[in-house]
Amino acid sequence: MAIERQTYKEQAYREIRQMLVDGELPPGSKVVVRLLSERLALSPTPIKSALAGLERDRFLVAVPHRGYFVPEVAIEDMREIYELREALDGIAARNAAGSPDAEGFVHRVLRPLYEEQRRVLDEDGGQGYSAVDVAFHRAIWHASGNARLAQILDNLGGQLRFASGSSSKVPGRVPEALDEHEAIMAAVAAGDSALAERLSRRHVRRAAEAFGGVVTPESPTPYRPAD
């Protein structure tokens, strides 16, 4: 019974998190347990547990006596997330390059994802690129052999998408990013851990710079409930 309850909680967490990332729950809105319970066909108990977990992971904010709200994300939040991503993506790429089957990993996993990114860009005008880009990076995170690192990076990546902070939306950024992906793949396949880390860190840093170039003074500030 305990395992079943945990499974329902995990299901609720995943589905509500995806709703947040997809923008179905707009910034500033209150999260209503009853509505989520009806939509997900789950009892309030796993919904409430999931909301508490999402608040811990900074996808929601808890307001005393009022419940959970969807936050807006400030420029400073984005800077912090990209700063962490730079360091941790570098570690993941370094570890992936140092794995015994680094070349095979690139051939079997990264290269097909890279080719799909190219295809989406050339044939579909870039629609759907973000999902394949996430898959590319997630593959490297999991190839690091560090489950905690992969989990943290997946959470940070979700926060970026939730905040609409993907640099792929910046004009001209995607072709540059693909060139950077190709260089990272080459370094990983060659087993050059130091180069893979350096290129991966530079890739994230350039993404942050591209995103920062289109931030305006009117960008959102953190959610603060009305009086």
Side-chain angles (χ1 to χ4, degrees):
M1 186 66 68
I3 294 176
E4 184 177 281
R5 284 198 297 270
Q6 183 67 19
T7 300
Y8 287 148
K9 173 187 172 183
E10 292 171 353
Q11 176 190 343
Y13 180 97
R14 287 194 305 270
E15 295 197 30
I16 299 170
R17 181 181 185 269
Q18 193 61 50
M19 292 165 64
L20 290 163
V21 170
D22 291 343
E24 292 186 51
L25 300 173
S29 64
K30 183 176 181 178
V31 179
V32 181
V33 172
R34 177 180 57 80
L35 296 179
L36 290 173
S37 181
E38 292 174 356
R39 172 166 175 172
L40 302 180
L42 293 170
S43 72
T45 299
I47 298 293
K48 291 176 181 177
S49 297
L51 296 181
L54 289 163
E55 192 267 336
R56 285 194 300 272
D57 290 341
R58 306 190 71 172
F59 284 93
L60 295 173
V61 292
V63 180
H65 311 299
R66 296 186 59 187
Y68 293 99
F69 289 79
V70 182
E72 293 180 344
V73 181
I75 297 172
E76 181 63 18
D77 295 319
M78 300 302 297
R79 186 196 64 77
E80 291 178 358
I81 294 169
Y82 271 115
E83 189 173 73
L84 287 169
R85 277 286 309 272
E86 179 183 337
L88 297 180
D89 270 62
I91 294 171
R94 182 186 70 201
N95 289 0
S99 66
D101 190 33
E103 186 175 7
F105 163 67
V106 170
H107 177 72
R108 292 190 312 273
V109 181
L110 288 188
R111 176 61 62 178
L113 288 170
Y114 173 81
E115 295 298 339
E116 178 64 10
Q117 287 177 304
R118 286 284 184 193
R119 187 199 66 76
V120 167
L121 180 61
D122 294 339
E123 298 178 13
D124 300 338
Q127 186 166 357
Y129 173 85
S130 181
V132 189
D133 180 60
V134 170
F136 180 91
H137 286 283
R138 185 176 284 141
I140 296 175
W141 304 339
H142 287 279
S144 71
N146 186 325
R148 288 182 175 84
L149 180 71
Q151 183 177 22
I152 292 169
L153 280 165
D154 191 59
N155 183 45
L156 292 172
Q159 290 182 36
L160 282 178
R161 299 194 302 282
F162 162 64
S164 298
S166 172
S167 64
S168 65
K169 298 178 181 179
V170 179
R173 173 57 192 158
V174 170
E176 294 177 354
L178 286 174
D179 289 343
E180 293 161 14
H181 283 181
E182 188 163 27
I184 291 169
M185 286 193 303
V188 172
D192 192 331
S193 296
L195 181 59
E197 179 174 12
R198 186 163 66 252
L199 291 174
S200 186
R201 290 184 64 118
R202 187 172 67 182
H203 173 64
V204 176
R205 187 162 58 250
R206 286 181 172 174
E209 291 168 353
F211 176 75
V214 296
V215 170
T216 67
E218 291 76 26
S219 293
T221 54
Y223 171 78
R224 292 183 176 85
D227 294 331

